[in-house]
Amino acid sequence: MSYASDVKKELTMLEVHFGNAKAELMALIRMNGSLSIVNKQFILSVQTENPAIARRIYRLLKQFYDIESELIVRRKMKLKKNNFYIVRLKTGTNEILKDLDILDNFQIKETVPLEFLDDDAKVRSYLRGAFLATGSVNNPETSRYHLEIYSLYEDHNDTICEMMNRYGLNARKTERRSGYITYLKEAEKIADFLSLIGATNAMLKFEDIRIVRDMRNSVNRIVNCETANLNKIADASKKQIDNIKLIDAKVGIDKLPQKLQEVAIARLGHPEESLKNLGELIPGGPISKSGINHRLRKLNEIAEKIRAGESIAVL
């Protein structure tokens, strides 16, 4: 089972009060519902590929409305995909659509009546229903963090984005080929959203994985940085030693000024030491890191002049 499925399974097990259930149902029906006319009567069907969500819709309708409904299971024949589940109302469609303020001129409304969502609990419940209907979230162990809710209509998508940003989630919106999405990219904001809609266990799992992953990334960055520094030191040391050997072969280390001789001999004897440690090995030391660096730079300049066939003025 995917992480997103785990989140939705947890959400379907939450208990809600009547008013909040209406907000959740409003989202589920608006985003997954469809209307048909049979014998001049509206028939409402709500479809989902998640059996737990279908059972929740069926249970909430049965609990809060005196209606007849049925739960239908159908198999997708194309590519042998999973079953899909339909909650179909036999009676009471007009009553429910009117109570939830969903129907307008024989069409499901594209927008949410904000006056219905007059308190924090209802907003959270609506967002929970919206996520159950069309939401998805990446497994936090994957390479990127991403949570989104899909909307068929732009106005509805704008409302979802506005609701999420009431809680400082920095939600963004964009257009897809067949609709619109509101999405989150920041790990902390995704965790906040999961907590907001009641997926506490999923949020804790998300945070555990995120913290371990971020810690592992931090350790990797430190190791990579240390490795890069060590490689840089090793490359610099090799260049210094090659230059000192060139000077010794062409001129002789003993012909150098005393200060440069000391540094040259110390570097040849201790090729892996840092500049700071090298400064403590000089007989007349200790010498600061900048002082050692200055003398080694002088040796490098002498070696470059030898390679270029120039006269050595410092001898």
Side-chain angles (χ1 to χ4, degrees), residues 16 21 61 68 82 114 117-119 131 147-148 159 165 169 187 221 223 227 249 266 273 296 311 314:
V16 291
L61 286 170
E68 287 187 54
N82 296 333
L114 294 180
L117 305 172
D118 54 4
D119 62 42
F131 183 82
L147 180 146
E148 69 176 51
T159 303
N165 284 333
L169 295 178
R221 282 194 295 270
V223 170
T227 302
E273 293 292 347
L296 287 170
S311 60
V314 297

Side-chain angles (χ1 to χ4, degrees), residues 140-255:
E141 294 178 338
T142 59
S143 59
R144 63 192 182 98
Y145 300 113
H146 183 84
L147 180 146
E148 69 176 51
I149 296 176
Y150 170 83
S151 298
L152 184 61
Y153 305 110
E154 184 174 12
D155 287 343
H156 184 252
N157 188 62
D158 291 345
T159 303
I160 293 289
C161 188
E162 178 186 336
M163 288 180 184
M164 294 172 70
N165 284 333
R166 290 185 187 183
Y167 302 95
L169 295 178
N170 194 28
R172 300 178 183 180
K173 54 191 177 182
T174 189
E175 185 174 358
R176 285 275 175 88
R177 284 185 305 174
S178 56
Y180 305 84
I181 64 166
T182 293
Y183 64 93
L184 303 175
K185 288 289 189 182
E186 302 169 62
E188 292 183 3
K189 303 302 184 184
I190 293 174
D192 289 343
F193 177 80
L194 295 177
S195 177
L196 181 75
I197 62 176
T200 304
N201 292 332
M203 179 273 292
L204 293 174
K205 178 181 178 181
F206 183 94
E207 284 290 74
D208 286 344
I209 295 173
R210 181 182 70 85
I211 290 170
V212 171
R213 176 182 168 187
D214 289 350
M215 185 179 298
R216 187 186 301 120
N217 290 340
S218 296
V219 170
N220 288 339
R221 282 194 295 270
I222 293 172
V223 170
N224 291 339
C225 183
E226 291 291 339
T227 302
N229 287 337
L230 290 174
N231 290 338
K232 184 178 179 181
I233 292 172
D235 291 343
S237 177
K238 184 178 183 304
K239 179 181 178 181
Q240 294 158 6
I241 290 172
D242 289 345
N243 286 339
I244 292 169
K245 288 181 177 179
L246 176 65
I247 294 171
D248 190 34
K250 298 294 184 180
V251 179
I253 292 178
D254 58 338
K255 297 296 193 300

Side-chain angles (χ1 to χ4, degrees), residues 106-135:
F106 308 106
Q107 295 289 331
I108 291 179
K109 284 186 177 180
E110 298 179 11
T111 58
V112 180
L114 294 180
E115 63 274 10
F116 178 82
L117 305 172
D118 54 4
D119 62 42
D120 176 72
K122 290 181 181 179
V123 172
R124 290 169 181 252
S125 184
Y126 191 92
L127 289 174
R128 179 168 59 250
F131 183 82
L132 285 171
T134 62

Side-chain angles (χ1 to χ4, degrees), residues 63-117:
Q63 182 177 354
F64 298 117
Y65 293 98
D66 184 20
I67 57 159
E68 287 187 54
S69 61
E70 58 182 345
L71 182 55
I72 304 170
V73 182
R74 290 183 177 172
R75 179 174 294 276
K76 289 186 176 180
M77 301 305 295
K78 188 177 181 181
L79 300 179
K80 296 183 179 180
K81 290 187 177 181
N82 296 333
N83 296 339
F84 64 94
Y85 306 84
I86 301 172
V87 179
R88 179 175 295 164
L89 274 63
K90 294 183 176 180
T91 60
T93 293
N94 291 341
E95 172 194 345
I96 292 174
L97 295 180
K98 181 178 180 181
D99 187 53
L100 298 180
D101 199 7
I102 290 177
L103 191 64
D104 182 25
N105 293 327
F106 308 106
Q107 295 289 331
I108 291 179
K109 284 186 177 180
E110 298 179 11
T111 58
V112 180
L114 294 180
E115 63 274 10
F116 178 82
L117 305 172

